[in-house]
Amino acid sequence: DTGVSQDPRHKITKRGQNVTFRCDPISEHNRLYWYRQTLGQGPEFLTYFQNEAQLEKSRLLSDRFSAERPKGSFSTLEIQRTEQGDSAMYLCASSTGVLYGYTFGSGTRLTVV
Amino acid sequence: AQSVAQPEDQVNVAEGNPLTVKCTYSVSGNPYLFWYVQYPNRGLQFLLKYITGDNLVKGSYGFEAEFNKSQTSFHLKKPSALVSDSALYFCAVRDISNFNKFYFGSGTKLNVKP
């Protein structure tokens, strides 16, 4: 598989529960990004990794959100104590360099009920 | 701060006709501009980018975009639309102080009718 994979595709959770999403980037891509897309809006930047180092976090990423990329390969995004406002599509993307476009995964759609 | 605006929520065009999806940008400096397409329940797919050079950029699936510095625009075009082009299109600009971040427009839904 040469694309970016995200798991799960859909997640329905009750408010207050914790959820974790996984992203497997293209193997030779050292940069990995998380974006959030709400209905009717374009994606918004959440955080970025170069290899295993998390180099930037948006202020959209509250204390309830944490992302890791422990070995510079796959990444996880965890949301603790989910709120209804967390309902969105969470997109992962990877790239090889700053002058290239991203390759996006299909996203994880989170619904908090 | 950098931003892009897509003034049309929706564009309707008949199959075989030319299509244009509009994008304007606001950047202090030279812009790095991109177009992405999103099909239902899918991630975004890269179409084309402008970094420097020719103002007319050719991309995937027969799409092209024209960079116009005086009008601060980067409109997406295709000479002959296909029904399969129906999707959501996003214009994006790279943060010039942090190349690892994009700012996306709100998207334009393209409907191509047979």
Side-chain angles (χ1 to χ4, degrees):
Chain A
D1 185 6
T2 58
V4 177
S5 299
Q6 290 189 247
D7 184 69
R9 292 293 304 275
H10 303 275
K11 178 70 176 179
I12 301 174
T13 191
K14 291 184 178 180
R15 190 174 53 184
Q17 296 295 305
N18 299 343
V19 294
T20 300
F21 311 141
R22 176 178 170 127
C23 171
D24 287 89
I26 293 173
S27 58
E28 58 266 30
H29 286 184
N30 62 346
R31 290 172 166 82
L32 186 146
Y33 311 83
W34 285 99
Y35 278 74
R36 181 173 67 187
Q37 184 179 17
T38 53
L39 201 62
Q41 298 297 318
E44 296 174 292
F45 173 83
L46 291 179
T47 190
Y48 148 66
F49 290 85
Q50 183 164 332
N51 300 313
E52 67 274 13
Q54 187 175 18
L55 297 184
E56 185 168 353
K57 292 173 58 174
S58 164
R59 60 178 181 271
L60 293 175
L61 219 63
S62 75
D63 291 345
R64 296 184 297 105
F65 287 71
S66 63
E68 295 182 344
R69 194 182 183 198
K71 296 183 179 180
S73 56
F74 73 91
S75 175
T76 58
L77 178 67
E78 180 183 15
I79 309 174
Q80 296 182 328
R81 305 181 303 281
T82 52
E83 302 173 356
Q84 286 189 324
D86 298 331
S87 296
M89 174 79 87
Y90 290 84
L91 294 166
C92 177
S94 67
S95 74
T96 54
V98 294
L99 293 182
Y100 299 91
Y102 294 166
T103 300
F104 279 90
S106 296
T108 294
R109 182 169 294 284
L110 172 66
T111 302
V112 181
V113 298
Chain B
Q2 292 92 162
S3 65
V4 291
Q6 294 180 243
E8 302 156 316
D9 290 337
Q10 187 167 297
V11 169
N12 298 312
V13 65
E15 187 174 31
N17 284 359
L19 69 88
T20 299
V21 182
K22 295 180 180 178
C23 172
T24 58
Y25 66 88
S26 174
V27 171
S28 54
N30 293 323
Y32 288 8
L33 296 159
F34 296 72
W35 275 102
Y36 286 85
V37 59
Q38 186 176 34
Y39 296 97
N41 298 314
R42 301 298 300 274
L44 281 70
Q45 295 179 29
F46 169 76
L47 278 180
L48 51 80
K49 67 178 186 286
Y50 172 82
I51 305 295
T52 186
D54 289 342
N55 290 340
L56 187 63
V57 179
K58 293 189 183 298
S60 306
Y61 313 120
F63 282 93
E64 57 190 27
E66 186 171 10
F67 172 68
N68 187 318
K69 190 172 183 178
S70 63
Q71 297 185 0
T72 62
S73 66
F74 188 57
H75 300 333
L76 182 69
K77 300 181 179 183
K78 188 172 183 181
S80 178
L82 300 173
V83 172
S84 58
D85 292 330
S86 299
L88 194 54
Y89 290 81
F90 290 96
C91 181
V93 64
R94 198 144 224 171
D95 189 328
I96 60 171
S97 63
N98 178 356
F99 278 4
N100 292 292
K101 184 190 297 186
F102 280 100
Y103 296 99
F104 286 86
S106 55
T108 299
K109 186 177 180 185
L110 174 66
N111 296 312
V112 181
K113 298 181 180 180

